Amino acid sequence: MTAVVIDGKKVAADVRDRLARDVATFTQRTGKAPGLATILVGEDPASEVYVANKRRSAIAAGIADFHRHLPANSTADDIAAVIDELADNDDVSGILLQLPLPAGIESAKLIDHIPAAKDVDGLTTMSAGLLARGEAGLRPCTPSGIITLLDSANITIEGALAVVVGRSQLVGAPLAQLLLHRNATVVIAHSRTADLASITKQADILVAAAGIPALVTAEHVKPGAAVIDVGIHRTEAGLVGDVLYDEVSAVAGWITPVPGGVGPMTIATLLHNTLRAAEASSVAA
Ligand code: NAD
């Protein structure tokens, strides 16, 4: 079997096109574009690239750009003050605090400074609680993007056995909740899981989000399964994921490539969340 490749670049481009139209309609109706505020602290080169990509995509979709770049020696109070200022600004629909923060600054408290209504990254305690309870709220971007990818390939989630490898607050834990809300039977594997292959081998949907290159090999995969690779690793041979792509694609039914799979969905979902936040606040106003 050769797996069907799920083209995240194409799915993300479709989402962004649709979104640009929806943003234009929203802006015409309300007289004000949705606004995305990005906060970058320090000079981490990877973060600079990520933030620049997010801003460029937002602007291309018709979303107003509010960017704050703070020096690396900023204190938690400095960052909190900027979040508060953006939280009070009615032109800002969503606030994104780019992680990681410089060493010594605790991110969890600062993330919780973002009001849930503007939490377009879906990472505050409030957003996590709403997700856990299955209530409406903004969902974390990478996990939401994965659900969109599965739907785009018409992969049945309801009733499927989904194994999520990884339990981070950014990816694994919220994805498990989203799959559960879609009526999958969900197993979460992690660094202390005994005999990983015996568990992943049962999965109809297998998501690799452990952050370990080539962790998932053909022997971890049930023939015909949908394999979603979240990992991103820079190697001399270029970007690779957590899945050993060549051998797994000979066994799986569907597979996402790295690059060009999950990655592009993260930004597309961020823009989607920004429009949702703007819509919710325009209804509340
Ligand atoms: P993390 O380090 O916070 O979490 C990794 C998780 O994997 C942990 O829960 C850990 O228990 C589990 N794990 C570690 N070793 C394991 C093993 N041997 N077997 C099973 N589980 C194991 O990482 P994260 O932030 O969740 O990111 C995971 C990967 O996804 C990274 O490569 C990251 O770069 C990538 N990522 C990609 C995107 C994207 O947009 N494509 C977004 C976020 C993260």
Side-chain angles (χ1 to χ4, degrees):
M1 171 180 298
T2 305
V4 172
V5 179
I6 305 176
D7 185 348
K9 251 175 145 171
K10 170 154 194 334
V11 178
D14 291 347
V15 170
R16 288 205 310 264
D17 284 351
R18 210 169 35 229
L19 201 95
R21 288 195 293 276
D22 292 348
V23 166
T25 307
F26 174 87
T27 305
Q28 208 168 29
R29 182 166 56 79
T30 63
K32 187 161 81 175
L36 173 64
T38 48
I39 305 171
L40 177 65
V41 186
E43 317 293 335
D44 178 57
S47 294
E48 283 183 3
V49 172
Y50 290 144
V51 168
N53 286 341
K54 289 169 187 175
R55 294 176 65 201
R56 195 177 321 114
S57 300
I59 291 165
I63 291 170
D65 175 45
F66 296 81
H67 178 61
R68 299 284 189 276
H69 191 176
L70 307 188
N73 62 0
S74 304
T75 64
D77 284 347
D78 295 335
I79 302 168
V82 169
I83 295 174
D84 286 343
E85 173 225 318
L86 295 165
D88 285 343
N89 184 341
D90 288 342
D91 294 338
V92 171
S93 323
I95 303 171
L96 177 146
L97 178 61
Q98 182 66 38
L99 303 177
L101 295 173
I105 300 186
E106 205 205 319
S107 55
K109 265 200 193 136
L110 282 169
I111 289 171
D112 274 341
H113 228 74
I114 299 171
K118 296 193 178 189
D119 177 22
V120 283
D121 245 351
L123 296 179
T124 61
T125 304
M126 178 61 90
S127 296
L130 292 170
L131 171 59
R133 286 165 55 141
E135 292 179 25
L138 294 164
R139 307 305 194 207
C141 297
T142 303
S144 283
I146 291 170
I147 300 289
T148 307
L149 274 185
L150 291 169
D151 287 340
S152 77
N154 291 318
I155 291 161
T156 304
I157 299 176
E158 179 159 329
L161 178 61
V163 175
V164 179
V165 183
R167 57 177 165 180
S168 73
Q169 289 305 314
L170 188 63
V171 186
L175 177 61
Q177 303 267 6
L178 288 172
L179 288 163
L180 197 56
H181 294 322
R182 290 287 298 270
N183 297 317
T185 301
V186 182
V187 175
I188 304 176
H190 48 77
S191 53
R192 310 305 155 76
T193 295
D195 194 0
L196 182 66
S198 72
I199 291 166
T200 57
K201 187 120 200 163
Q202 298 173 51
D204 303 307
I205 297 171
L206 173 58
V207 183
I212 298 180
L215 175 71
V216 172
T217 64
E219 73 166 43
H220 291 78
V221 177
K222 177 163 109 174
V227 178
I228 307 294
D229 191 353
V230 187
I232 305 179
H233 312 281
R234 259 166 242 284
T235 70
E236 280 175 9
L239 286 186
V240 300
D242 284 5
V243 174
L244 204 50
Y245 185 86
D246 287 346
E247 66 173 58
V248 170
S249 57
V251 178
W254 295 265
I255 193 165
T256 60
V258 177
V262 172
M265 296 305 297
T266 300
I267 291 187
T269 310
L270 171 69
L271 306 182
H272 171 83
N273 279 353
T274 305
L275 176 59
R276 279 198 50 212
E279 281 168 343
S281 77
S282 85
V283 171

